[in-house]
Amino acid sequence: MKLTLLVLSFAFVSLSEAQSVELAHDKEISISNLYVYSNKEKIWNHGLLFQFIKSINTTKFGVGCGFEFINNDQIHYSFGPILSYKPIHELCLSAFPSIEYTDSIESGSFSFHLESSYEFEYREFNLGPVFEFAHNKEDDHVSIGIHAGYSF
């Protein structure tokens, strides 16, 4: 797995450096394949994070929405708005306050996610590592994985 991540990262670095014209896109849809560690349960689970982000005019900020799914003993869902900031073109920092559910819609509680991703771009596609920290009143979790996006 580590070798695959390393090879994909180097491939995208090479391709993104070969691209000389920067394309101006203001919207992105993405999916992140995550390995999630639950601090309460002390186990690793699989998760997916879906996002849509639209840039705010010509600023480094964006707004959108996100949906996270974690598959463990209790199915875990989070949905909410996202505020993103790109201090440099390839680095994206996001805050994701959300309502979190486990198994049933009646179990909603507030959670807060912080995420960082580094994007290697090739034309309208990007790929790179992602790290996330999430907190709610019952548990904290950290996630690492691969972010893949499409800008338009």
Side-chain angles (χ1 to χ4, degrees), residues 30-69:
S30 65
I31 183 171
S32 297
N33 186 20
L34 304 170
Y35 292 96
V36 183
Y37 181 77
S38 168
N39 193 38
K40 179 181 177 182
E41 298 173 359
K42 307 288 189 220
I43 58 172
W44 288 91
N45 295 295
H46 179 253
L48 293 172
L49 175 61
F50 301 92
Q51 296 179 330
F52 170 79
I53 297 175
K54 182 180 183 330
S55 297
I56 301 173
N57 298 326
T58 58
T59 69
K60 295 181 177 190
F61 291 93
V63 294
C65 60
F67 176 77
E68 181 182 61
F69 167 81

Side-chain angles (χ1 to χ4, degrees), residues 60 85-93 117-119 121:
K60 295 181 177 190
Y85 173 66
K86 288 190 157 191
I88 59 173
H89 183 71
E90 298 86 2
L91 179 64
C92 184
L93 306 173
S117 62
Y118 193 87
E119 302 170 344
E121 297 180 339

